[in-house]
Coordinates of all heavy atoms in Angstrom, one line a residue:
M126 N 1.3 13.0 -87.0 CA 2.3 12.9 -85.8 C 1.7 12.0 -84.8 O 0.6 12.2 -84.3 CB 2.4 14.3 -85.2 CG 3.2 14.3 -83.9 SD 3.2 15.8 -83.0 CE 2.9 17.0 -84.3
P127 N 2.4 11.0 -84.5 CA 1.9 10.1 -83.3 C 1.8 10.8 -82.1 O 2.7 11.6 -81.8 CB 3.0 9.0 -83.3 CG 3.8 9.0 -84.6 CD 3.6 10.5 -85.0
T128 N 0.8 10.4 -81.3 CA 0.6 11.1 -80.0 C 1.8 10.9 -79.0 O 2.0 11.8 -78.3 CB -0.6 10.6 -79.3 OG1 -0.7 9.2 -79.4 CG2 -1.8 11.3 -79.7
G129 N 2.6 10.0 -79.2 CA 3.8 9.8 -78.3 C 4.8 10.9 -78.6 O 5.7 11.0 -77.8
H130 N 4.7 11.7 -79.7 CA 5.7 12.7 -80.0 C 5.1 14.1 -79.5 O 5.8 15.1 -80.0 CB 6.1 12.7 -81.4 CG 6.8 11.4 -81.8 ND1 6.2 10.5 -82.5 CD2 8.0 11.0 -81.4 CE1 7.1 9.4 -82.6 NE2 8.2 9.7 -82.0
I131 N 4.0 14.2 -79.0 CA 3.5 15.6 -78.6 C 4.3 16.1 -77.4 O 4.5 15.5 -76.4 CB 2.0 15.4 -78.2 CG1 1.2 15.0 -79.4 CG2 1.5 16.7 -77.6 CD1 -0.2 14.7 -79.1
R132 N 4.8 17.3 -77.7 CA 5.7 17.9 -76.6 C 5.3 19.4 -76.3 O 5.8 19.8 -75.3 CB 7.1 18.1 -77.2 CG 7.8 16.7 -77.5 CD 9.2 16.8 -77.9 NE 9.8 15.5 -77.9 CZ 9.8 14.6 -78.9 NH1 9.1 15.0 -80.0 NH2 10.4 13.5 -78.9
T133 N 4.3 19.9 -77.0 CA 3.9 21.3 -76.6 C 2.4 21.2 -76.6 O 1.6 20.5 -77.1 CB 4.4 22.3 -77.7 OG1 3.6 22.0 -78.9 CG2 5.8 22.2 -77.9
R134 N 1.9 22.3 -75.9 CA 0.5 22.6 -75.8 C -0.2 22.8 -77.2 O -1.2 22.2 -77.4 CB 0.2 23.9 -74.9 CG -1.2 24.2 -74.6 CD -1.3 25.4 -73.7 NE -2.7 25.5 -73.3 CZ -3.7 26.3 -73.9 NH1 -3.3 26.8 -75.0 NH2 -4.8 26.4 -73.4
T135 N 0.5 23.4 -78.0 CA 0.0 23.6 -79.4 C -0.2 22.3 -80.1 O -1.2 22.0 -80.8 CB 0.9 24.6 -80.2 OG1 1.0 25.8 -79.4 CG2 0.4 24.8 -81.6
E136 N 0.8 21.4 -80.0 CA 0.7 20.0 -80.6 C -0.4 19.2 -80.0 O -1.1 18.5 -80.7 CB 2.1 19.3 -80.4 CG 3.2 19.9 -81.3 CD 4.6 19.3 -80.9 OE1 4.7 18.6 -80.0 OE2 5.5 19.6 -81.7
L137 N -0.6 19.3 -78.7 CA -1.6 18.7 -78.0 C -3.0 19.1 -78.6 O -3.9 18.3 -78.8 CB -1.6 18.8 -76.5 CG -2.7 18.2 -75.6 CD1 -2.7 16.7 -75.9 CD2 -2.6 18.5 -74.2
I138 N -3.2 20.4 -78.6 CA -4.5 21.0 -79.1 C -4.7 20.5 -80.6 O -5.8 20.1 -80.9 CB -4.5 22.5 -79.0 CG1 -4.6 22.9 -77.5 CG2 -5.6 23.1 -79.8 CD1 -4.3 24.3 -77.2
A139 N -3.7 20.6 -81.4 CA -3.8 20.1 -82.7 C -4.2 18.6 -82.8 O -5.1 18.2 -83.6 CB -2.5 20.4 -83.6
E140 N -3.6 17.8 -82.0 CA -3.9 16.3 -82.0 C -5.3 16.1 -81.5 O -6.0 15.3 -82.1 CB -2.9 15.6 -81.2 CG -3.2 14.1 -81.1 CD -2.9 13.3 -82.4 OE1 -2.4 13.9 -83.4 OE2 -3.3 12.1 -82.4
C141 N -5.8 16.8 -80.6 CA -7.1 16.7 -80.1 C -8.1 17.1 -81.2 O -9.2 16.4 -81.3 CB -7.3 17.5 -78.8 SG -6.6 16.8 -77.4
A142 N -7.8 18.1 -81.9 CA -8.6 18.5 -83.1 C -8.7 17.4 -84.1 O -9.8 17.1 -84.7 CB -8.2 19.8 -83.7
R143 N -7.6 16.7 -84.4 CA -7.7 15.7 -85.4 C -8.4 14.4 -84.9 O -9.2 13.9 -85.6 CB -6.2 15.2 -85.7 CG -5.4 16.1 -86.7 CD -4.1 15.6 -87.1 NE -3.1 15.5 -86.0 CZ -2.3 16.5 -85.6 NH1 -2.4 17.7 -86.2 NH2 -1.4 16.3 -84.7
I144 N -8.3 14.2 -83.6 CA -9.0 13.1 -83.0 C -10.6 13.4 -83.1 O -11.4 12.5 -83.5 CB -8.6 12.7 -81.6 CG1 -7.2 12.1 -81.6 CG2 -9.6 11.9 -80.9 CD1 -6.5 12.2 -80.2
R145 N -10.9 14.6 -82.7 CA -12.3 15.0 -82.7 C -12.9 14.9 -84.1 O -14.0 14.4 -84.3 CB -12.5 16.4 -82.1 CG -13.9 16.8 -81.9 CD -14.0 18.1 -81.1 NE -13.4 18.1 -79.9 CZ -12.3 18.8 -79.5 NH1 -11.7 19.6 -80.3 NH2 -11.7 18.8 -78.3
A146 N -12.1 15.4 -85.1 CA -12.6 15.3 -86.5 C -12.8 14.0 -87.0 O -13.8 13.7 -87.7 CB -11.6 16.1 -87.3
R147 N -12.0 13.0 -86.7 CA -12.2 11.7 -87.2 C -13.0 10.8 -86.4 O -13.5 9.8 -86.8 CB -10.8 11.0 -87.5 CG -10.0 10.7 -86.4 CD -8.7 10.1 -86.8 NE -8.0 9.6 -85.7 CZ -6.8 9.2 -85.6 NH1 -6.0 9.2 -86.8 NH2 -6.2 8.8 -84.6
G148 N -13.3 11.2 -85.1 CA -14.1 10.5 -84.3 C -13.5 9.3 -83.4 O -14.2 8.6 -82.6
Y149 N -12.2 9.2 -83.5 CA -11.6 8.1 -82.7 C -10.1 8.5 -82.5 O -9.5 9.3 -83.2 CB -11.7 6.8 -83.3 CG -11.0 6.7 -84.6 CD1 -9.7 6.2 -84.7 CD2 -11.7 7.1 -85.8 CE1 -9.1 6.1 -86.0 CE2 -11.0 6.9 -87.1 CZ -9.8 6.5 -87.1 OH -9.1 6.3 -88.3
A150 N -9.5 7.8 -81.4 CA -8.1 8.0 -81.3 C -7.4 6.7 -81.3 O -8.1 5.6 -81.2 CB -7.9 8.5 -79.8
T151 N -6.2 6.6 -81.6 CA -5.4 5.4 -81.6 C -4.2 5.5 -80.9 O -3.6 6.6 -80.7 CB -5.1 5.0 -83.1 OG1 -4.3 5.9 -83.7 CG2 -6.3 4.7 -84.0
V152 N -3.7 4.4 -80.4 CA -2.3 4.3 -79.8 C -1.6 3.2 -80.4 O -2.1 2.2 -80.7 CB -2.4 4.1 -78.2 CG1 -3.0 5.3 -77.5 CG2 -3.2 2.8 -77.8
D153 N -0.3 3.4 -80.6 CA 0.6 2.4 -81.2 C 1.9 2.3 -80.5 O 2.8 3.1 -80.6 CB 0.9 2.9 -82.7 CG 1.6 1.8 -83.4 OD1 2.2 0.8 -82.9 OD2 1.7 1.9 -84.7
E154 N 1.9 1.4 -79.5 CA 3.0 1.1 -78.6 C 3.4 2.3 -77.7 O 4.4 2.4 -77.3 CB 4.2 0.6 -79.3 CG 3.9 -0.7 -80.1 CD 5.1 -1.3 -80.8 OE1 5.9 -0.6 -81.3 OE2 5.2 -2.5 -80.7
E155 N 2.4 3.2 -77.4 CA 2.7 4.3 -76.7 C 2.7 4.1 -75.2 O 3.3 4.8 -74.3 CB 1.9 5.5 -77.0 CG 2.2 6.0 -78.4 CD 1.0 6.6 -79.2 OE1 -0.1 6.7 -78.6 OE2 1.1 7.0 -80.3
F156 N 1.9 3.1 -74.8 CA 1.8 2.7 -73.3 C 2.7 1.5 -73.0 O 3.3 1.4 -71.9 CB 0.4 2.5 -72.9 CG -0.5 3.7 -73.1 CD1 -1.5 3.7 -74.1 CD2 -0.2 4.9 -72.4 CE1 -2.3 4.9 -74.2 CE2 -1.1 6.0 -72.5 CZ -2.0 6.0 -73.4
E157 N 2.7 0.6 -73.9 CA 3.5 -0.6 -73.8 C 3.9 -1.3 -75.0 O 3.1 -1.2 -76.1 CB 2.4 -1.7 -73.1 CG 3.0 -3.0 -72.6 CD 2.0 -3.9 -72.0 OE1 1.2 -3.4 -71.3 OE2 2.1 -5.1 -72.2
R158 N 5.1 -1.8 -75.1 CA 5.6 -2.3 -76.3 C 4.8 -3.4 -76.8 O 4.4 -4.4 -76.0 CB 7.0 -2.8 -76.0 CG 7.8 -3.3 -77.3 CD 9.2 -3.7 -77.0 NE 9.9 -3.7 -78.1 CZ 11.1 -3.1 -78.3 NH1 11.5 -2.4 -77.4 NH2 11.6 -3.2 -79.5
G159 N 4.4 -3.4 -78.1 CA 3.7 -4.4 -78.7 C 2.1 -4.3 -78.5 O 1.4 -5.2 -79.0
L160 N 1.7 -3.2 -77.9 CA 0.3 -3.1 -77.6 C -0.3 -1.8 -78.4 O 0.3 -0.8 -78.5 CB 0.0 -2.8 -76.1 CG -1.5 -2.6 -75.7 CD1 -2.2 -3.9 -75.9 CD2 -1.5 -2.1 -74.3
V161 N -1.4 -2.1 -79.2 CA -2.0 -1.0 -79.9 C -3.5 -1.0 -79.5 O -4.0 -2.0 -78.9 CB -1.9 -1.2 -81.5 CG1 -0.4 -1.2 -81.9 CG2 -2.6 -2.6 -81.8
G162 N -4.2 0.1 -79.9 CA -5.6 0.2 -79.5 C -6.3 1.4 -80.2 O -5.5 2.2 -80.7
A163 N -7.5 1.4 -80.0 CA -8.3 2.5 -80.6 C -9.5 2.7 -79.6 O -9.9 1.8 -78.9 CB -9.0 2.1 -82.0
S164 N -10.0 4.0 -79.6 CA -11.1 4.3 -78.7 C -11.9 5.4 -79.3 O -11.5 6.2 -80.1 CB -10.6 4.8 -77.3 OG -9.7 5.9 -77.4
S165 N -13.2 5.5 -78.8 CA -14.1 6.5 -79.3 C -15.1 6.9 -78.2 O -15.5 6.1 -77.4 CB -14.9 6.0 -80.5 OG -15.8 7.0 -81.0
A166 N -15.4 8.2 -78.1 CA -16.3 8.7 -77.0 C -17.7 8.4 -77.3 O -18.2 8.4 -78.5 CB -16.0 10.1 -76.8
V167 N -18.5 8.3 -76.2 CA -19.9 8.1 -76.2 C -20.4 9.4 -75.5 O -20.0 9.7 -74.4 CB -20.4 6.8 -75.5 CG1 -21.9 6.7 -75.5 CG2 -19.8 5.6 -76.2
Y168 N -21.4 10.1 -76.2 CA -22.0 11.3 -75.7 C -23.4 11.1 -75.2 O -24.2 10.3 -75.8 CB -21.8 12.4 -76.8 CG -20.5 12.6 -77.2 CD1 -19.9 12.0 -78.3 CD2 -19.7 13.6 -76.5 CE1 -18.6 12.3 -78.7 CE2 -18.4 13.9 -76.9 CZ -17.8 13.2 -78.0 OH -16.5 13.5 -78.3
D169 N -23.8 12.0 -74.2 CA -25.2 11.9 -73.7 C -26.0 13.0 -74.5 O -25.5 13.7 -75.4 CB -25.3 12.1 -72.3 CG -24.9 13.5 -71.8 OD1 -24.7 14.4 -72.6 OD2 -24.8 13.7 -70.5
F170 N -27.2 13.2 -74.1 CA -28.1 14.2 -74.8 C -27.6 15.6 -74.7 O -28.0 16.4 -75.6 CB -29.5 14.0 -74.3 CG -29.7 14.5 -72.8 CD1 -30.0 15.7 -72.5 CD2 -29.3 13.6 -71.8 CE1 -30.1 16.2 -71.2 CE2 -29.4 14.0 -70.4 CZ -29.8 15.3 -70.1
R171 N -26.7 15.9 -73.8 CA -26.2 17.3 -73.7 C -25.0 17.4 -74.5 O -24.4 18.5 -74.6 CB -25.9 17.6 -72.2 CG -27.1 17.5 -71.4 CD -26.7 17.5 -69.8 NE -25.9 16.2 -69.7 CZ -25.5 15.8 -68.5 NH1 -25.6 16.6 -67.4 NH2 -24.9 14.7 -68.4
G172 N -24.4 16.3 -75.1 CA -23.2 16.4 -75.9 C -22.0 16.3 -75.0 O -20.8 16.6 -75.4
I173 N -22.2 15.7 -73.9 CA -21.1 15.5 -72.9 C -20.6 14.1 -73.0 O -21.4 13.1 -72.9 CB -21.5 15.8 -71.4 CG1 -21.9 17.4 -71.4 CG2 -20.4 15.5 -70.4 CD1 -22.5 17.8 -70.0
A174 N -19.3 13.9 -73.1 CA -18.7 12.5 -73.1 C -19.0 11.9 -71.8 O -18.6 12.3 -70.8 CB -17.3 12.6 -73.4
V175 N -19.7 10.7 -71.8 CA -20.0 10.0 -70.6 C -19.4 8.6 -70.5 O -19.5 7.9 -69.5 CB -21.5 9.8 -70.4 CG1 -22.2 11.2 -70.2 CG2 -22.3 9.2 -71.6
A176 N -18.8 8.1 -71.6 CA -18.2 6.8 -71.7 C -17.2 6.8 -72.8 O -17.3 7.7 -73.7 CB -19.3 5.8 -71.8
S177 N -16.4 5.7 -72.9 CA -15.6 5.6 -74.0 C -15.5 4.1 -74.4 O -15.6 3.2 -73.5 CB -14.2 6.0 -73.6 OG -13.2 5.8 -74.7
L178 N -15.5 3.7 -75.7 CA -15.4 2.3 -76.2 C -13.8 2.3 -76.5 O -13.3 3.2 -77.1 CB -16.1 2.1 -77.3 CG -17.6 2.3 -77.3 CD1 -18.4 2.0 -78.6 CD2 -18.2 1.4 -76.2
N179 N -13.2 1.2 -76.0 CA -11.8 0.9 -76.3 C -11.5 -0.5 -76.6 O -12.1 -1.4 -76.0 CB -11.0 1.3 -75.1 CG -9.6 1.1 -75.2 OD1 -8.9 1.8 -76.0 ND2 -9.0 0.3 -74.5
V180 N -10.7 -0.7 -77.6 CA -10.2 -2.0 -77.9 C -8.7 -2.0 -78.0 O -8.1 -1.1 -78.6 CB -10.7 -2.6 -79.2 CG1 -10.1 -3.9 -79.6 CG2 -12.3 -2.7 -79.2
A181 N -8.0 -2.9 -77.2 CA -6.6 -3.0 -77.2 C -6.2 -4.4 -77.6 O -6.9 -5.3 -77.1 CB -6.0 -2.5 -75.9
A182 N -5.0 -4.5 -78.2 CA -4.7 -6.0 -78.6 C -3.2 -5.9 -79.0 O -2.6 -4.8 -79.2 CB -5.4 -6.3 -79.9
P183 N -2.6 -7.1 -79.0 CA -1.2 -7.1 -79.5 C -1.0 -6.6 -80.9 O -2.0 -6.8 -81.7 CB -0.9 -8.6 -79.5 CG -1.9 -9.2 -78.5 CD -3.1 -8.4 -78.7
K184 N -0.1 -5.8 -81.2 CA 0.1 -5.2 -82.5 C 0.1 -6.2 -83.6 O -0.5 -6.0 -84.7 CB 1.4 -4.5 -82.5 CG 1.6 -3.7 -83.8 CD 2.8 -2.8 -83.7 CE 2.9 -1.8 -84.8 NZ 3.8 -0.8 -84.6
S185 N 0.6 -7.5 -83.3 CA 0.5 -8.5 -84.4 C -0.9 -8.9 -84.9 O -1.0 -9.3 -86.0 CB 1.3 -9.8 -83.9 OG 0.7 -10.3 -82.7
R186 N -1.8 -8.7 -84.0 CA -3.2 -9.1 -84.3 C -4.0 -8.0 -85.1 O -4.9 -8.2 -85.8 CB -4.0 -9.5 -83.0 CG -3.4 -10.6 -82.4 CD -4.2 -11.1 -81.3 NE -5.3 -12.0 -81.7 CZ -6.3 -12.4 -80.9 NH1 -6.3 -12.1 -79.7 NH2 -7.2 -13.2 -81.5
L187 N -3.5 -6.7 -84.9 CA -4.1 -5.6 -85.6 C -3.3 -4.9 -86.7 O -3.6 -3.8 -87.1 CB -4.6 -4.6 -84.6 CG -5.8 -5.0 -83.7 CD1 -6.1 -4.0 -82.6 CD2 -7.0 -5.3 -84.4
E188 N -2.2 -5.6 -87.0 CA -1.2 -4.9 -87.9 C -2.0 -4.3 -89.2 O -2.6 -5.2 -89.8 CB -0.2 -5.9 -88.3 CG 1.1 -5.3 -89.0 CD 1.9 -4.5 -88.0 OE1 2.2 -5.1 -86.9 OE2 2.3 -3.3 -88.3
G189 N -1.8 -3.1 -89.4 CA -2.5 -2.5 -90.6 C -4.0 -2.3 -90.6 O -4.6 -1.8 -91.5
R190 N -4.6 -2.6 -89.5 CA -6.1 -2.5 -89.4 C -6.6 -1.5 -88.2 O -7.7 -1.5 -87.9 CB -6.7 -3.8 -89.2 CG -6.4 -4.7 -90.4 CD -7.0 -6.1 -90.2 NE -6.6 -6.7 -89.0 CZ -7.0 -7.9 -88.5 NH1 -8.0 -8.5 -89.1 NH2 -6.6 -8.3 -87.4
L191 N -5.6 -0.8 -87.6 CA -5.9 0.0 -86.6 C -6.9 1.1 -86.8 O -7.8 1.3 -86.1 CB -4.6 0.6 -86.0 CG -4.7 1.2 -84.5 CD1 -5.3 0.2 -83.5 CD2 -3.2 1.5 -84.1
D192 N -6.7 1.8 -88.0 CA -7.6 2.8 -88.4 C -9.0 2.3 -88.7 O -10.0 2.9 -88.4 CB -7.1 3.6 -89.5 CG -6.0 4.7 -89.0 OD1 -6.3 5.3 -88.0 OD2 -5.0 4.8 -89.8
A193 N -9.1 1.0 -89.3 CA -10.3 0.5 -89.6 C -11.1 0.1 -88.3 O -12.3 0.3 -88.2 CB -10.1 -0.8 -90.5
L194 N -10.3 -0.3 -87.3 CA -10.9 -0.6 -85.9 C -11.5 0.8 -85.4 O -12.6 0.8 -84.9 CB -9.8 -1.2 -85.0 CG -10.3 -1.3 -83.6 CD1 -11.5 -2.3 -83.4 CD2 -9.2 -1.8 -82.7
G195 N -10.6 1.8 -85.4 CA -11.1 3.1 -84.9 C -12.4 3.6 -85.6 O -13.3 4.1 -85.0
Q196 N -12.4 3.5 -87.0 CA -13.6 3.9 -87.6 C -14.8 3.0 -87.2 O -15.9 3.6 -87.1 CB -13.4 3.7 -89.2 CG -12.4 4.7 -89.7 CD -12.0 4.4 -91.1 OE1 -12.5 3.5 -91.7 NE2 -10.9 5.0 -91.6
R197 N -14.7 1.7 -87.0 CA -15.8 0.9 -86.6 C -16.2 1.3 -85.2 O -17.4 1.3 -84.9 CB -15.3 -0.6 -86.6 CG -16.5 -1.5 -86.3 CD -16.3 -2.7 -87.0 NE -17.5 -3.6 -86.8 CZ -17.8 -4.7 -87.4 NH1 -16.9 -5.1 -88.2 NH2 -18.9 -5.4 -87.0
L198 N -15.3 1.5 -84.3 CA -15.7 1.9 -82.9 C -16.4 3.3 -83.0 O -17.3 3.5 -82.2 CB -14.4 2.1 -82.1 CG -13.8 0.9 -81.4 CD1 -12.5 1.2 -80.7 CD2 -14.8 0.2 -80.4
A199 N -15.9 4.2 -83.7 CA -16.6 5.5 -83.9 C -18.1 5.3 -84.3 O -18.9 5.9 -83.8 CB -15.8 6.4 -84.8
G200 N -18.3 4.4 -85.3 CA -19.6 4.1 -85.7 C -20.5 3.6 -84.5 O -21.7 4.0 -84.4
V201 N -20.0 2.6 -83.8 CA -20.6 2.1 -82.7 C -21.0 3.1 -81.6 O -22.1 3.2 -81.1 CB -20.0 0.9 -82.1 CG1 -20.7 0.3 -80.8 CG2 -19.9 -0.3 -83.1
A202 N -19.9 4.0 -81.4 CA -20.1 5.0 -80.3 C -21.2 6.1 -80.8 O -21.9 6.5 -79.9 CB -18.8 5.6 -80.1
R203 N -21.2 6.3 -82.1 CA -22.3 7.3 -82.6 C -23.7 6.7 -82.4 O -24.6 7.4 -81.9 CB -22.0 7.6 -84.1 CG -21.0 8.7 -84.3 CD -21.1 9.1 -85.7 NE -20.8 8.1 -86.7 CZ -19.6 7.7 -87.1 NH1 -18.5 8.2 -86.6 NH2 -19.5 6.7 -88.0
R204 N -23.8 5.3 -82.6 CA -25.1 4.8 -82.4 C -25.5 4.7 -81.0 O -26.6 5.1 -80.6 CB -25.1 3.4 -83.0 CG -25.1 3.4 -84.5 CD -25.4 2.0 -85.2 NE -24.5 1.0 -84.9 CZ -23.3 0.8 -85.6 NH1 -22.9 1.7 -86.5 NH2 -22.4 -0.1 -85.2
L205 N -24.6 4.4 -80.1 CA -24.9 4.5 -78.7 C -25.2 5.8 -78.2 O -26.1 6.1 -77.4 CB -23.7 3.9 -77.8 CG -23.4 2.5 -77.9 CD1 -22.1 2.0 -77.3 CD2 -24.6 1.7 -77.2
S206 N -24.4 6.8 -78.7 CA -24.7 8.2 -78.4 C -26.1 8.6 -78.9 O -26.8 9.3 -78.1 CB -23.7 9.1 -79.0 OG -22.3 8.9 -78.5
G207 N -26.5 8.2 -80.0 CA -27.8 8.5 -80.5 C -28.9 7.9 -79.5 O -30.0 8.5 -79.3
D208 N -28.6 6.6 -79.1 CA -29.6 6.1 -78.1 C -29.7 6.9 -76.8 O -30.7 6.7 -76.1 CB -29.0 4.6 -77.8 CG -29.3 3.7 -79.0 OD1 -29.9 4.0 -79.9 OD2 -28.6 2.6 -78.9
L209 N -28.6 7.6 -76.5 CA -28.6 8.5 -75.3 C -29.2 9.8 -75.6 O -29.3 10.6 -74.6 CB -27.3 8.6 -74.6 CG -26.6 7.3 -74.2 CD1 -25.3 7.5 -73.7 CD2 -27.5 6.7 -73.1
G210 N -29.7 10.1 -76.8 CA -30.3 11.3 -77.2 C -29.3 12.4 -77.8 O -29.7 13.5 -78.0
W211 N -28.0 12.0 -78.1 CA -27.1 12.9 -78.6 C -27.4 13.1 -80.1 O -27.8 12.2 -80.8 CB -25.7 12.4 -78.5 CG -24.7 13.2 -79.1 CD1 -24.2 14.4 -78.6 CD2 -23.9 12.9 -80.3 NE1 -23.2 14.8 -79.5 CE2 -23.0 14.0 -80.5 CE3 -24.0 11.9 -81.2 CZ2 -22.2 14.0 -81.6 CZ3 -23.1 11.9 -82.4 CH2 -22.2 13.0 -82.4
R212 N -27.4 14.3 -80.6 CA -27.6 14.6 -82.0 C -26.3 15.4 -82.4 O -26.0 16.5 -81.9 CB -28.8 15.5 -82.2 CG -30.1 14.8 -81.8 CD -30.4 13.5 -82.7 NE -31.5 12.7 -82.2 CZ -31.4 11.5 -81.8 NH1 -30.2 10.9 -81.6 NH2 -32.5 10.8 -81.3
A213 N -25.7 15.1 -83.5 CA -24.5 15.7 -84.0 C -24.9 17.1 -84.5 O -25.9 17.3 -85.0 CB -23.8 15.0 -85.0

C-alpha cells in the first residue's frame, strides 16, 4: 500500500513496521507530482535515529529503480550507524 493511501492509525503502524523491516522508506509523487525519493535512518550508539539520508529526483530519472536506491541508502546508513557505535 503506498503511503499516500494511509487513512487510519492501524495502517500507519503497519506501514512503519514495513519501513523498519526493509530499512528504508520511499515516496512516489506523494509530495509533488513527478517527484520520487527514498530515505533511510542513521542511528547512534544508543539506537536512536539521529539523522536521515535522503535522495529525491524527478520520477523520469529513477523510473523502476526506486527500491534499488532505497536498498543502497539503507546500506550506507547502516555503515554510518556502525561508525557511530550502533549495533543491530
Side-chain angles (χ1 to χ4, degrees):
M126 169 189 335
T128 40
H130 295 108
I131 294 173
R132 292 184 174 86
T133 68
R134 183 175 190 272
T135 301
E136 291 172 350
L137 177 61
I138 290 169
E140 179 66 10
C141 287
R143 282 189 291 276
I144 291 167
R145 192 175 295 114
R147 70 182 185 189
Y149 65 93
T151 60
V152 293
D153 188 347
E154 298 186 322
E155 290 151 2
F156 299 115
E157 184 178 325
R158 186 180 197 122
L160 182 68
V161 299
S164 60
S165 186
V167 176
Y168 298 94
D169 70 5
F170 65 96
R171 299 165 295 181
I173 297 172
V175 294
S177 177
L178 302 179
N179 180 66
V180 173
K184 189 170 188 168
S185 61
R186 296 184 87 184
L187 289 175
E188 195 74 46
R190 299 180 304 174
L191 196 53
D192 282 317
L194 171 63
Q196 291 168 8
R197 185 150 186 171
L198 278 175
V201 173
R203 278 191 302 274
R204 288 192 296 279
L205 286 172
S206 296
D208 290 346
L209 295 176
W211 177 76
R212 300 292 174 248

